[in-house]
Amino acid sequence: MNDRERNKAIVRRFVEAVDAQDWATVSLLVAPGFVRHSAAAGPQTVRSRDDLIFVLRAGFETFPDARETVLDLVAEADKVAVRHGFRGTQLGPMGPILLLAR
């Protein structure tokens, strides 16, 4: 398996771990100093692996049956881009309250 295929496999494993709420595997796959850069997510509140796991877990309180589906993965050098679909039933609040709940 070449590096691009290995990196794509890591992304798939990450998505599967989040869907399974397997936080131990997510912790193994994400660097401790992870920072999410996303204008869509509002103010920068995810500045570590622990912050990411906190936000992901809170997301399952809002969407307890949440599932991500990988539609496309494109890899070049050490970067992977993913296009994915999301499906879930909203049973709780979302938005800035979810991201700033800490």
Side-chain angles (χ1 to χ4, degrees), residues 32-49:
F34 172 88
V35 175
R36 180 173 67 187
H37 301 280
S38 173
Q44 192 66 18
T45 59
V46 178
R47 299 185 183 278
S48 70
R49 172 180 58 208

Side-chain angles (χ1 to χ4, degrees), residues 58-81:
F60 278 98
E61 292 176 19
T62 302
F63 297 95
D65 60 347
R67 291 291 173 262
E68 299 275 344
T69 303
V70 173
L71 302 172
D72 294 300
L73 281 176
V74 179
E76 189 64 41
D78 65 345
K79 294 175 179 61
V80 178

Side-chain angles (χ1 to χ4, degrees), residues 45 48-55 96-102:
T45 59
S48 70
R49 172 180 58 208
D50 292 340
D51 286 352
L52 176 64
I53 292 171
F54 175 84
V55 168
I97 295 167
L98 172 67
L99 296 177
L100 301 174
R102 272 210 226 204

Side-chain angles (χ1 to χ4, degrees), residues 4 6 16-18 30 33 43 46 48 59 83 87-88 96:
R4 285 183 295 192
R6 192 173 3 267
E16 290 167 1
V18 171
V30 177
V46 178
S48 70
R83 184 173 73 93
R87 186 176 183 96

